[in-house]
Amino acid sequence: MDNVRFEASDRDLSRPIIIIEESSYGNVINGLVGHTHIKADFNKNPDINVMNAKSVGMDPVPVNQFWNAAFKGSSGLELDETGAQPNRSMPGWKLEGGSAATPNANIFVIEDDAGLYPDHNVLKVDYRNFGGAFKMMADQTLLQEAHSFVTFGVYARSSVQGSISAVMRYTSGSIISSASHSGSGDWEFIGMSALYSQSAPYFYFSITGDVDLTAPTLTFGQTPATPGASLMSSSGARMSGTLTTGVGIGNPPPPSTPTYKKKWWILPQNEGNVFLMNSNSDHSIERLNDRGEDRFPRGTVITLMFDEPGTKVESNAYIELTGGEDFLSSAKTSITLITQGTGSWQEVGRNEGKQLVQPSTTPSCIGTPPSSGNYWVLPKGCGTVFLMESGPYIARLSYSTADRFPYGTVVTLVWEEAGNTVVDSAYMKLKNGQNFVSGEQTSLTLMTKGSATWYEVSRNV
């Protein structure tokens, strides 16, 4: 805004209230203005918030442009036994001073320091008094064409006067610097705000004395610095540190649910991406969040975690599983799904668990064929791996109450000879309804819920 003059209606015209000179910048104005628009350069004159029915003002977005402002993931910072630092690195940062063989600063990350901001490490720089300044700067060029102003700095604690200052390349091309640390021994924010060179942007912290650092920040425009803030935006994000997500509870449909919806589960929205599934009896899942108001946004990935065996996720038009193969939970297993924003889900992956095969407690556990018929009885208290003798096909296993195994028991039937058959039935529920026919040195693993019914866990054919 050039040659602008504010006057009061009852004041002599020779005495303006405000004059905005042609060469000025960084002025703050709030209020209304006639029909006009704010032109880019957006932030050369920030906080000029003028608006009307056909135009609005704008401020820069206070997003920290420094990646890894929490100083996480560093390695090789400290000097080795030779006094060198050949593998010094920290994500998001360049650490320059001296050489790898003779660095001019020793660096430590103080994770348990009582720093200013939660989860932000403190970087301790022990300057070695040779080789010029030690420089710390972003490992990428920071430039946004819409902005010509920059504000940046870092919290520093030092007892050495002049130990650190912020340095940048001004719009004219000259190098300018901030006021340096006073040496008070306290935390001071060392930073500056100025027009920067868009043709060769250059920002760094110049260190010539022992200093502790935390929470660096750089924003475009004259937006006040916001140390300790690290935001994610929808245009993308990078982060360091631990990403913690919420965990929700998945409950089966209530008993009052109509019969045709008994397999339609509703997971709670906005509680997380991982769901601990409450199901310790014979349940099946045919649909997830079928109603429009319950659906998750497109691209949502969820993981269903099962503590108990016996819950089936059925492959169908609404839950498309890999190879059309149903998922049957066993203890400590999971399945991961993604939605396109509709009531349909697709499988991303599954963890069907490791087979828990316990050694036999006697030299041999033998599966002996019945004297007649097709109902086999496995000896209890012998183990969970059974060497099966050849005989008629198996229609049932340990069907009588006295012969049944406890809930959750997993057994493996091993055959040395080919040609023995386990028939899929209501009592032997095999995957995809396929009978098992043994080959030489093959096996079938089954699980029971304490009843006469067994469920296939896996087969080795």
Side-chain angles (χ1 to χ4, degrees), residues 4 20 78 116 118 121 163 214 220 237 245 274 286 303 308 321 333 374 427 430:
V4 177
I20 300 179
E78 299 180 27
L116 299 177
N121 290 338
S163 58
T214 194
F220 288 102
T245 61
V274 176
E286 185 181 71
T303 297
E308 302 286 347
L321 302 185
T333 57
N374 306 99
Y427 296 99
L430 305 185

Side-chain angles (χ1 to χ4, degrees), residues 202-352:
Y202 188 38
F203 317 100
Y204 68 93
F205 299 105
S206 176
I207 298 171
T208 56
D210 295 349
V211 63
D212 297 341
L213 306 173
T214 194
T217 182
L218 185 146
T219 59
F220 288 102
Q222 285 183 293
T223 301
T226 53
S230 296
L231 306 178
M232 290 188 176
S233 88
S234 59
S235 62
R238 294 190 299 174
M239 66 169 292
S240 58
T242 301
L243 176 63
T244 301
T245 61
V247 176
I249 304 297
N251 289 311
S256 59
T257 303
T259 301
Y260 76 96
K261 285 189 174 183
K262 288 289 187 182
K263 299 180 181 180
W264 296 12
W265 292 47
I266 304 295
L267 300 177
Q269 292 179 313
N270 304 318
E271 290 191 12
N273 295 86
V274 176
F275 294 89
L276 304 180
M277 305 301 286
N278 274 342
S279 179
N280 56 8
S281 59
D282 188 7
H283 284 121
S284 291
I285 301 174
E286 185 181 71
R287 298 184 69 171
L288 285 172
N289 295 52
D290 60 292
R291 298 180 303 176
E293 60 268 29
D294 294 327
R295 292 175 184 170
F296 287 75
R298 182 177 186 269
T300 300
V301 177
I302 63 172
T303 297
L304 312 183
M305 302 287 299
F306 299 89
D307 274 337
E308 302 286 347
T311 300
K312 181 189 290 186
V313 181
E314 299 181 1
S315 182
N316 60 81
Y318 296 101
I319 303 180
E320 299 177 19
L321 302 185
T322 303
E325 185 176 347
D326 293 347
F327 172 88
L328 181 64
S329 74
S330 53
K332 310 300 181 186
T333 57
S334 64
I335 185 167
T336 300
L337 307 168
I338 187 172
T339 180
Q340 298 296 327
T342 65
S344 297
W345 298 80
Q346 290 83 41
E347 179 178 349
V348 175
R350 64 176 72 186
N351 164 32
E352 294 183 298

